[in-house]
């Protein structure tokens, strides 16, 4: 069986984002189950309903990439106890125009990394609430990563065995849900 196609949305547009590094490590760790595709969101214009009748090319590309995916992995930092504006903007574009919500029925998983002890717990809680309202079927379990120097090496390998095992379990749980609920994009076409 072919691997499920997973769109990876990183909620940070920083060049040296620890969440991008974390997402790359997750993609490597889950490559036996998933075919990961990183989806760009920092080129999406600010959502404006006036543009719905003639969607900007970056929005058309974004929605097409979501349509091709069997599931979505959200990896996000926490900004002011919530999700970053760039991520909320992407969610808004994905839900519009009315009647063409790209999120409805998508299987999703949420995680994130930060240097603090509670990591991205509040942002993830907020993101889960937003995604649930959009019709995303979310994988259970929580994965908050306290990011420390050296936790992920230059080859995107999680160096701590316990953390690697925990994250593998997180991805395995996501794979089970995707396997149960996702209609492979090839069959949907």
């Amino acid at each position: 069986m072919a691997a499920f196609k997973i769109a990876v949305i990183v909620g940070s547009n920083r060049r040296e984002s620890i969440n991008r590094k974390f997402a790359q490590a997750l993609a490597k760790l889950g490559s036996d189950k998933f075919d990961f595709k990183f989806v760009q969101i920092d080129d999406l214009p600010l959502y404006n309903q006036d543009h719905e009748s003639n969607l900007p090319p970056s929005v058309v590309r974004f929605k097409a990439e979501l349509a091709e995916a069997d599931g979505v992995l959200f990896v996000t930092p926490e900004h002011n106890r919530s999700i970053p504006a760039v991520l909320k903007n992407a969610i808004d574009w994905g839900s519009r125009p009315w009647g063409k919500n790209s999120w409805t029925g998508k299987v999703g998983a949420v995680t994130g990394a930060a240097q603090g002890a509670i990591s991205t717990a509040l942002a993830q809680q907020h993101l889960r609430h937003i995604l649930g309202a959009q019709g995303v079927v979310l994988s259970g379990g929580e994965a908050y990563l306290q990011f420390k120097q050296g936790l992920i090496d230059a080859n995107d390998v999680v160096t701590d065995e316990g953390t690697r095992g925990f994250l593998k379990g997180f991805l395995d749980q996501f794979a089970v849900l995707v396997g149960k609920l996702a209609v492979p994009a090839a069959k949907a076409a």
Side-chain angles (χ1 to χ4, degrees):
M1 179 174 104
F4 285 104
K5 296 177 183 177
I6 301 299
V8 179
I9 297 179
V10 178
S12 174
N13 54 355
R14 280 185 55 232
R15 192 173 31 252
E16 299 298 323
S17 167
I18 62 175
N19 280 280
R20 181 162 311 284
K21 186 162 187 63
F22 178 32
Q24 290 165 331
L26 286 170
K28 188 167 201 167
L29 193 60
S31 63
D32 60 327
K33 292 183 173 36
F34 299 119
D35 177 16
F36 291 96
K37 177 178 171 100
F38 283 72
V39 177
Q40 183 177 358
I41 62 172
D42 63 351
D43 65 337
L44 300 173
L46 286 176
Y47 171 75
N48 182 335
Q49 191 174 9
D50 292 342
H51 299 299
E52 286 185 7
S53 61
N54 187 20
L55 292 176
S58 59
V59 174
V60 172
R61 179 222 13 107
F62 174 68
K63 290 178 75 68
E65 289 174 339
L66 291 178
E68 292 171 2
D70 299 310
V72 183
L73 175 63
F74 296 88
V75 183
T76 188
E78 185 169 296
H79 290 182
N80 297 320
R81 302 294 187 232
S82 186
I83 63 173
V86 69
L87 179 55
K88 179 61 167 78
N89 188 55
I91 293 167
D92 289 346
W93 274 119
S95 71
R96 301 297 296 181
W98 190 88
K100 297 186 182 196
N101 185 341
S102 300
W103 305 115
T104 302
K106 282 291 179 197
V107 180
V110 174
T111 189
Q115 294 176 342
I118 65 167
S119 183
T120 59
L122 296 175
Q124 286 188 47
Q125 179 184 29
H126 192 198
L127 181 55
R128 286 175 171 279
H129 177 78
I130 294 166
L131 294 174
Q134 297 307 315
V136 176
V137 180
L138 290 166
S139 179
E142 298 174 337
Y144 313 115
L145 184 71
Q146 184 178 15
F147 195 90
K148 295 180 180 180
Q149 190 67 24
L151 181 62
I152 299 172
D153 70 17
N155 296 315
D156 299 325
V157 174
V158 178
T159 60
D160 179 78
E161 187 175 327
T163 302
R164 190 171 49 251
F166 171 74
L167 294 173
K168 186 73 170 150
F170 171 77
L171 291 170
D172 288 347
Q173 184 175 348
F174 183 39
V176 168
L177 187 62
V178 171
K180 286 181 181 176
L181 300 179
V183 176
K187 289 183 182 176

